[in-house]
């Protein structure tokens, strides 16, 4: 049996949040200060009765004016706090609603040293699950085990986990070196400088240490965020869609770099994305999630060629759901081939639309039973086809549902 770094066995997860108003607002410090001022001002000494009366009247008016202003300020503060509280309640209630809807009776084991991706559409529970692993959220039932130890009640900073956020969260006023060293200095690590140079060398940041984040490209910022997480020597690395803000070409290059770094360091990694290509190219294992459930968990090839259900089939790549001889099959567009035999093909139809994709061209075909089928054919073989053309297809591979 392979070593397990992470094991999650959770029942339905919901979250309870208790938001308390600031005690300062209840005490109204401004009002207390004004009353104290009034008391002191209303007790002058060594003054004549008339002067004392005039002074007291003037100062009382001043005090009430001050009280009115203070009450107004306190009212605005209270309104602001209520608005902030409502906003906070909205976000937390929203999180609570999402959590209760998205994480249901989930069980997942992650192998030591593996690269595991949580893949699914927005709102399916990927980031919620990542927060549960990191300790930013706690399940009401079930447990999360890291390194064989139940993590219930253990704070995030005690879990030996590194985190790379979607927006990188770099400190703009700090240099690359200072950003990387931040965690080490918090821990008062005596080998701070040495460790910084070591991780900078691994991630090719040695010549960028004195630059600020604004002076870096998106790929360089991503490497700095990764370095800041890895320099602390975490046993698990969590990454929440770290490539989503990069353009396509840069994303591909950084993706390759990320995979190489993970394989070099052999660090257990849990990665969140909704990008199927990222998941397929990076992962040892993929968990396809939808509505809080893991629908399928396995290697990229198994998920692609042997999907367990329609959602998994259509979320990783494009899928056609076709009935042949009374049986239901999943057939991907690239599993078709132009039938040149002169005999009747397995699929006969009329081309509805054409999309040029480079070495392949995607055809949307209306079959004889009126179903629309997507077929990706080699461009050089299918140049003569256009909208309205009859087409005959053979099938190279199919997966029985």
């Amino acid at each position: 049996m392979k070593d397990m770094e992470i094991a999650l066995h959770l029942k339905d997860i919901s979250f309870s949040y208790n938001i308390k108003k600031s005690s300062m607002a209840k005490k109204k410090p401004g009002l207390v200060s004004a009353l104290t001022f009034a008391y002191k001002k209303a007790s002058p000494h060594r003054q004549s009765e008339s002067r004392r009366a005039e002074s007291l009247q003037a100062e009382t008016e001043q005090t009430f004016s001050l009280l009115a202003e203070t009450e107004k300020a306190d009212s605005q503060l209270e309104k602001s706090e209520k608005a902030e509280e409502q906003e906070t309640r909205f976000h937390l209630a929203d999180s609570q609603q999402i959590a209760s809807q998205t994480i249901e009776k989930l069980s997942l084991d992650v192998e030591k040293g593996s690269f595991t991706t949580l893949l699914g559409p927005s709102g399916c529970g990927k980031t919620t699950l990542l927060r549960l692993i990191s300790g930013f959220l706690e399940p009401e039932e079930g447990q999360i085990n890291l390194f064989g130890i139940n993590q219930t009640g253990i704070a995030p900073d005690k879990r030996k986990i590194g985190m790379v956020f979607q927006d990188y969260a770099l400190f703009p006023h700090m240099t690359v070196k200072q950003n990387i060293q931040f965690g080490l200095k918090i821990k008062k690590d005596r080998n701070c400088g040495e460790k910084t140079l070591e991780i900078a060398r691994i991630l090719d940041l040695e010549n960028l240490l004195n630059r600020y984040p604004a002076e870096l490209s998106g790929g360089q910022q991503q490497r700095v965020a990764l370095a800041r997480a890895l320099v602390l020597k975490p046993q698990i690395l969590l990454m929440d869609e770290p490539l989503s803000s990069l353009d396509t070409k840069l994303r591909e290059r950084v993706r390759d770099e990320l995979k190489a770094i993970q394989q070099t360091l052999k660090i257990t990694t849990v990665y969140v994305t909704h990008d199927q290509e990222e998941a397929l190219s990076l992962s040892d294992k993929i968990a396809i999630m939808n509505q809080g459930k893991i629908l399928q968990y396995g290697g990229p090839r198994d998920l692609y060629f042997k999907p367990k259900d329609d959602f998994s089939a259509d979320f990783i790549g494009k899928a056609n759901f076709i009935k042949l001889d009374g049986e239901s099959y999943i057939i991907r567009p690239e599993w078709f081939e132009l039938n040149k035999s002169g005999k009747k093909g397995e699929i006969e139809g009329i081309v509805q639309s054409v999309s040029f994709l480079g070495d392949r061209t995607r055809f949307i075909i209306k079959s004889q039973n009126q179903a629309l089928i997507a077929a990706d054919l080699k461009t050089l073989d299918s140049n003569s086809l256009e909208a309205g053309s009859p087409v005959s297809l053979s099938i190279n591979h199919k997966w029985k549902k």
Side-chain angles (χ1 to χ4, degrees):
M1 180 182 289
K2 294 185 178 181
D3 292 338
M4 293 296 170
E5 203 87 295
I6 304 175
L8 299 98
H9 305 287
L10 307 173
K11 298 181 181 179
D12 292 346
I13 294 174
S14 59
F15 302 95
S16 297
Y17 298 97
N18 183 18
I19 306 172
K20 295 182 179 179
K21 285 187 179 181
S22 168
S23 59
M24 293 298 289
K26 290 181 179 179
K27 290 180 182 178
K28 292 185 180 291
L31 181 58
V32 173
S33 299
L35 291 172
T36 303
F37 168 81
Y39 173 77
K40 289 181 178 178
K41 282 290 187 179
S43 304
H45 300 287
R46 300 187 183 93
Q47 293 185 18
S48 65
E49 289 296 320
S50 60
R51 290 188 62 188
R52 284 181 62 190
E54 291 173 359
S55 177
L56 182 58
Q57 182 178 355
E59 289 165 354
T60 300
E61 290 175 356
Q62 181 182 0
T63 298
F64 277 109
S65 175
L66 178 60
L67 282 171
E69 292 177 5
T70 304
E71 280 288 280
K72 184 178 178 181
D74 285 339
S75 176
Q76 290 176 346
L77 175 63
E78 191 168 350
K79 286 180 181 178
S80 175
E81 287 186 342
K82 283 183 178 179
E84 184 178 352
E85 180 182 348
Q86 287 174 352
E87 183 179 359
T88 305
R89 282 185 184 276
F90 171 79
H91 288 304
L92 292 178
D94 187 48
S95 298
Q96 184 175 354
Q97 184 180 11
I98 289 172
S100 63
Q101 289 178 351
T102 59
I103 305 295
E104 301 177 5
K105 296 181 176 65
L106 182 147
S107 183
L108 175 68
D109 293 326
V110 176
E111 296 174 4
K112 184 177 182 179
S114 67
F115 195 115
T116 299
T117 295
L118 306 177
L119 175 67
S122 298
C124 73
K126 306 184 300 293
T127 299
T128 300
L129 189 53
L130 210 65
R131 290 174 179 171
L132 286 163
I133 296 172
S134 62
F136 291 113
L137 295 175
E138 289 280 353
E140 286 189 351
E141 294 185 67
Q143 64 183 40
I144 299 170
N145 294 326
L146 305 181
F147 332 111
I149 301 171
N150 184 357
Q151 299 297 300
T152 302
I154 298 179
D157 61 321
K158 305 297 182 184
R159 296 195 181 193
K160 298 180 181 178
I161 288 175
M163 185 87 177
V164 177
F165 298 95
Q166 185 173 351
D167 61 357
Y168 309 144
L170 299 178
F171 299 111
H173 64 291
M174 293 184 182
T175 63
V176 169
K177 183 177 181 179
Q178 291 169 333
N179 266 282
I180 295 173
Q181 290 179 341
F182 185 78
L184 294 173
K185 290 194 171 182
I186 292 293
K187 293 179 177 291
K188 298 181 180 178
D189 193 309
R190 293 182 179 180
N191 298 318
C192 179
E194 182 181 332
K195 290 181 178 180
T196 300
L197 291 176
E198 179 186 1
I199 198 67
R201 178 183 53 78
I202 293 173
L203 297 181
D204 195 24
L205 294 169
E206 290 175 292
N207 296 326
L208 304 176
L209 290 175
N210 294 320
R211 292 192 189 181
Y212 289 89
E215 300 173 323
L216 304 177
S217 67
Q220 290 168 340
Q221 290 181 14
Q222 196 268 351
R223 294 208 307 273
V224 175
L226 186 58
R228 186 175 60 185
L230 293 177
V231 76
L232 296 172
K233 304 286 186 184
Q235 294 185 1
I236 296 172
L237 179 64
L238 306 180
M239 307 187 77
D240 190 2
E241 302 198 53
L243 308 184
S244 60
S245 61
L246 305 181
D247 63 67
T248 303
K249 295 299 290 184
L250 182 57
R251 187 184 308 161
E252 290 177 2
R253 182 168 63 82
V254 175
R255 186 176 68 204
D256 294 340
E257 292 175 354
L258 181 60
K259 181 64 174 177
I261 292 165
Q262 190 273 335
Q263 290 178 336
T264 299
L265 299 177
K266 300 188 184 304
I267 183 171
T268 304
T269 302
V270 179
Y271 188 96
V272 163
T273 185
H274 58 264
D275 188 306
Q276 55 182 299
E277 189 175 331
E278 272 182 33
L280 290 171
S281 62
L282 284 169
S283 311
D284 298 312
K285 292 284 186 70
I286 299 172
I288 299 179
M289 297 185 66
N290 190 36
Q291 297 182 349
K293 297 178 181 179
I294 292 181
L295 303 181
Q296 189 169 355
Y297 183 47
R301 289 180 180 274
D302 284 342
L303 269 61
Y304 191 79
F305 287 102
K306 302 175 182 179
K308 286 186 176 180
D309 55 74
D310 290 359
F311 180 87
S312 298
D314 204 37
F315 198 79
I316 289 194
K318 176 74 176 172
N320 298 290
F321 305 100
I322 299 174
K323 280 196 172 184
L324 297 171
D325 302 324
E327 299 284 357
S328 296
Y329 291 93
I330 294 170
I331 305 177
R332 299 200 180 277
E334 64 272 22
W335 295 352
F336 290 108
E337 191 175 73
L338 196 62
N339 177 29
K340 300 178 181 178
S341 66
K343 300 178 181 180
K344 184 177 180 180
E346 293 170 275
I347 300 292
E348 300 280 336
I350 302 296
V351 175
Q352 300 295 299
S353 65
V354 181
S355 301
F356 177 68
L357 303 176
D359 63 334
R360 286 185 172 270
T361 300
R362 174 162 294 179
F363 296 91
I364 302 300
I365 299 164
K366 182 178 281 189
S367 64
Q368 290 178 335
N369 64 2
Q370 302 301 305
L372 291 178
I373 295 171
D376 291 352
L377 306 177
K378 292 180 180 178
T379 296
L380 294 178
D381 292 341
S382 57
N383 267 334
S384 60
L385 294 177
E386 56 186 21
S389 298
V391 64
S392 178
L393 302 175
S394 57
I395 300 171
N396 289 329
H397 181 74
K398 56 190 176 185
W399 177 249
K400 188 175 179 180
K401 292 173 63 176

